[in-house]
Amino acid sequence: VFRLAFLVRFLSKPALSGFITASAILIMASQFKPMLGLPKSDTGGIFAIAWFHPDELGDLRPATIAVSICAIAYLSVIKKLKTAHWTLRILGDFKELSALTFSAIVASRFASELGVAVVGDVPAGLPGLTWPLNTKEDMALAKEMLPGAIMVALVTFLSSFA
């Protein structure tokens, strides 16, 4: 839209690679808390909780940790097993989708008994057309999400031209 792709030429490959790597690390670090089944709170990420609020580590959910570890292990191993059998090749090609499907099946069957943290009920259908920022809580959430959204947009933009 603004024809700013030429600006990428002024960035060195190491600087661009560092920016993309740092963004990936920040995104991964933000996922540790949900992977451990910790409740959503304003105390920060897992590193802030471990350092400033270690009493919250008592809320860890072992079943959620087990599902997270199994999903990470599956995503790591299935890529290497693609050559073993044709079914594993299909699972390897669609590893993220199959991990999501397996996790959803496990969560739908065993989440309540094991204490796996889940999102909850997702409403069916498309939502109605409304202005998304109606309350102060909506505005606070938008301010909280804006830096991450800008980072994802920049990484996508820069990596598409690099």
Side-chain angles (χ1 to χ4, degrees), residues 102-118:
F102 295 147
S103 299
I105 291 170
V106 168
S108 68
R109 303 262 191 242
F110 306 111
S112 59
E113 298 100 42
L114 298 176
V116 176
V118 295

Side-chain angles (χ1 to χ4, degrees), residues 131-145:
W131 182 250
L133 304 174
N134 293 327
T135 64
K136 288 185 180 185
E137 291 84 20
D138 293 340
M139 191 60 100
L141 181 62
K143 285 181 182 177
E144 181 183 332
M145 294 177 67

Side-chain angles (χ1 to χ4, degrees), residues 80-129:
K80 295 174 181 81
L81 296 176
K82 282 171 61 170
T83 58
H85 195 264
W86 67 271
T87 55
L88 293 176
R89 180 184 165 107
I90 293 170
L91 289 175
D93 288 342
F94 299 101
K95 61 186 174 294
E96 294 87 1
L97 183 60
S98 59
L100 178 66
T101 303
F102 295 147
S103 299
I105 291 170
V106 168
S108 68
R109 303 262 191 242
F110 306 111
S112 59
E113 298 100 42
L114 298 176
V116 176
V118 295
V119 173
D121 293 330
V122 179
L126 295 173
L129 290 176

